Amino acid sequence: MANILSKNAHLEQLASLKNTYAPGVLISVLVGLAALYLSSNYGAPAMLMALLLGMAFNFLSVEPAYAKGLEFTAKTVLRIGVALLGVRITFGDITALGVTPIITVCAAVGSTIAFGLFLAKRMGFNSHFGLLTGGSVAICGASAAMAISAILPQSEESKRNTLFTVIAVTTLSTIAMVLYPLIALALELNTTEIGFFLGGTIHDVAQVVGAGYSVSEEAGNLSTFVKLLRVATLVPVVLIASFFLMKHNASHQGNKVQLPFFLVGFVLIFIVNSTGVIPAAPLELLNALSSKLLLIAVAALGVRTSLKDVLTVGIKPILLVVMETLFIAAVILLCIFFTR
């Protein structure tokens, strides 16, 4: 009798959990699927479509039935998706580039983040916004924005800043995909230099692939490798940033500094992936799963943010992201001309 009662109580808990989280998770999945459809049929960036479609359903965020599921998707699902990004890069990918490209990319990433922090302060923003925008531009666009936002203090302002940053870097990345190959050809860069320029400057991986292979297969291969090297810098950047953020919080709250679980997961997956023990098919599945989870999380973020809030950001944040984008492009071009 006791076992039956215990089982019934357990089922009631599961039913309660399902009713609490399912509606918000389901709406995020549906918005994500709609964004994928638009992306595959019309060539629109999936992340951007998920955000815009999500904002169209912002009225659901005030409904208690959807609130917890949306929060779970925007936070927990996001962190799982970021952890799975570790399947995209290996030690072999990094070492295959040689020493000079590695130093150049690390210098470009570090200097762009530093520039973002400096410029954000001069423009009246806090360091968190400078880190968010600078890191997104320097590393891997929307994915980096989501990863960095996960370690920042959460508030309505932080949600609005994350949404703005994802929209801004995705839009600029799409523009760069079209313009940067033309700029590279106008500057008379050779195929190797074009690949390095595109991989070292365009924000999102998908746009790097599109731009690189629009020039040639060789440029596409190199630009993808360089881009993956930038993705690999996500680990040390988030690690260092989270250490300083949590150390600062711990000094006020008396807590111990702990690493975010998604960062630990990213490193572990990266290490296992580098050993080559994971077959190709599961790797492709995990990579696709990471993209889908991030897309669903972005959709949830869109639902939780109103368009009116986004439109209040003003011109200065846009100028900040544009200046950061131009900065990393200038750094990479200077390195190319200097090492000729």
Side-chain angles (χ1 to χ4, degrees), residues 95-116:
T95 57
L97 291 173
V99 177
T100 302
I102 292 175
I103 294 175
T104 302
V105 168
C106 289
V109 169
S111 61
T112 301
I113 294 174
F115 178 75

Side-chain angles (χ1 to χ4, degrees), residues 176-187:
M177 179 180 65
V178 177
L179 293 182
Y180 280 15
L182 300 177
I183 293 173
L185 293 173
L187 294 174

Side-chain angles (χ1 to χ4, degrees), residues 223-286:
S223 63
T224 303
F225 271 119
V226 174
K227 182 59 187 178
L228 289 177
L229 178 57
R230 288 170 66 196
V231 173
T233 64
L234 182 66
V235 174
V237 168
V238 175
L239 178 62
I240 294 170
S242 61
F243 175 79
F244 280 105
L245 286 169
M246 287 185 290
K247 186 176 180 181
H248 176 74
N249 292 336
S251 66
H252 291 282
Q253 302 172 7
N255 298 326
K256 292 182 179 179
V257 175
Q258 296 180 342
L259 290 177
F261 82 87
F262 71 88
L263 183 59
V264 176
F266 184 106
V267 174
L268 291 177
I269 293 172
F270 166 68
I271 293 173
V272 173
N273 187 31
S274 297
T275 64
V277 298
I278 305 178
L283 275 181
E284 292 180 5
L285 181 62
L286 290 173

Side-chain angles (χ1 to χ4, degrees), residues 21-42:
Y21 290 97
V25 174
L26 180 60
I27 193 64
S28 302
V29 172
L30 291 175
V31 171
L33 290 174
L36 277 178
Y37 175 80
L38 292 174
S39 176
S40 60
N41 286 275
Y42 300 101

Side-chain angles (χ1 to χ4, degrees), residues 105-121 126-141 144-145 148 151-152 230-241 244 320 323-325 327-329 331:
V105 168
C106 289
V109 169
S111 61
T112 301
I113 294 174
F115 178 75
L117 290 168
F118 169 78
L119 192 59
K121 185 176 181 180
N126 58 35
S127 59
H128 292 167
F129 190 57
L131 173 64
L132 180 64
T133 57
S136 303
V137 169
I139 302 172
C140 53
I148 294 171
I151 65 171
L152 296 176
R230 288 170 66 196
V231 173
T233 64
L234 182 66
V235 174
V237 168
V238 175
L239 178 62
I240 294 170
F244 280 105
L320 174 62
M323 292 296 290
E324 291 165 343
T325 299
F327 180 85
I328 193 171
V331 170

Side-chain angles (χ1 to χ4, degrees), residues 71 74-76 78-79 128 132 145-160 162 245 249 262 301 304:
E71 182 180 7
K75 292 182 179 180
T76 304
L78 163 66
R79 287 161 170 78
H128 292 167
L132 180 64
M146 302 301 285
I148 294 171
S149 70
I151 65 171
L152 296 176
Q154 300 299 303
S155 65
E156 289 300 318
E157 182 183 10
S158 68
K159 286 192 298 182
R160 184 169 64 250
T162 301
L245 286 169
N249 292 336
F262 71 88
L301 179 65
R304 298 178 74 200

Side-chain angles (χ1 to χ4, degrees), residues 65-83:
Y66 295 95
K68 287 191 175 181
L70 290 170
E71 182 180 7
F72 171 80
T73 308
K75 292 182 179 180
T76 304
V77 172
L78 163 66
R79 287 161 170 78
I80 296 172
V82 171

